[in-house]
Amino acid sequence: MGKIEWAMWANEQALASGFILLTGGIVGVAGQFRGWQFAAYAVAAGVFVCLLEYPRSKRSKGTSVERTGQYCFTVCVKGFGPLTRNYYVRAFLHAAISVPGGFMLATVLGCVCLGIASLIYLVAAIRGEHWEPILPTKEIRKPVGESIKNPPQNPPPRPPPEMRRKRVDDLEGAAYDNPISVTANE
């Protein structure tokens, strides 16, 4: 079996929990619930978590697929250097961000989800994983093979090349000229 990349799971969990925290914060502020200041904090924290977690990390296998429009966020996250690249920092940051969300019912679910993401990031950090940006690379085009340049002329099933009928145009200096084709052209 392959090695589990914990950071990939933590990234998805943290992004989802950021959206949940944002949604709960919006509900708390719009409803003017008691302690709505915690909900306002949850809106800001949810936006921050979503912006931090939107860019995916490059996988160790190299089969990474970036999210749509990830490049500008990747440049921003990469700009903070070791603060955003180190998963120990992310684990403790998410744990600290999730604490105030526990004081209001509308934001408790986002708080718990972000705490779980923090634990998964801690496991990823212990396993030695770190964030690597997915940057665009120049694609090297391979030369097109001869079989692709000249597609088959006959429908399948095709007989082997030596058993195929020869076209008249391919036979140069043929021993037989069709008299009908010569008279028809004149």
Side-chain angles (χ1 to χ4, degrees):
M1 287 188 95
K3 179 184 150 197
I4 294 176
E5 293 188 36
W6 290 93
M8 177 182 65
W9 296 101
N11 177 261
E12 296 295 331
Q13 177 74 25
L15 184 62
S17 63
F19 283 125
I20 294 168
L21 195 61
L22 175 66
T23 305
I26 290 171
V27 168
V29 170
Q32 290 293 310
F33 294 162
R34 187 177 47 208
W36 63 270
Q37 295 85 0
F38 290 113
Y41 166 80
V43 169
V47 168
F48 173 74
V49 168
C50 289
L51 292 176
L52 177 66
E53 295 297 332
Y54 189 73
R56 282 189 179 136
S57 174
K58 186 186 295 185
R59 295 183 62 193
S60 62
K61 290 181 182 179
T63 57
S64 306
V65 177
E66 65 179 299
R67 289 188 173 102
T68 305
Q70 170 180 324
Y71 179 73
C72 60
F73 296 110
T74 301
V75 171
C76 293
V77 171
K78 184 182 173 191
F80 286 100
L83 288 177
T84 54
R85 183 177 168 159
N86 190 340
Y87 286 148
Y88 283 112
V89 173
R90 283 195 187 196
F92 293 120
L93 179 68
H94 288 329
I97 287 174
S98 68
V99 171
F103 294 112
M104 185 174 193
L105 185 61
T107 59
V108 166
L109 182 60
C111 165
V112 170
C113 292
L114 197 57
I116 293 169
S118 172
L119 291 175
I120 300 171
Y121 266 132
L122 187 61
V123 170
I126 290 170
R127 301 255 178 171
E129 298 178 28
H130 61 278
W131 188 81
E132 283 291 326
I134 301 175
L135 297 174
T137 58
K138 266 194 169 172
E139 294 183 22
I140 300 171
R141 295 186 60 136
K142 296 179 181 177
V144 179
E146 286 298 319
S147 64
I148 296 175
K149 288 181 184 174
N150 299 322
Q153 301 295 323
N154 302 336
R158 296 180 193 91
E162 58 273 359
M163 298 296 293
R164 294 185 190 147
R165 290 179 29 195
K166 304 290 184 199
R167 293 188 349 203
V168 175
D169 298 340
D170 293 341
L171 298 174
E172 294 179 21
Y176 176 75
D177 287 330
N178 188 351
I180 297 174
S181 65
V182 172
T183 58
N185 291 337
E186 296 175 355

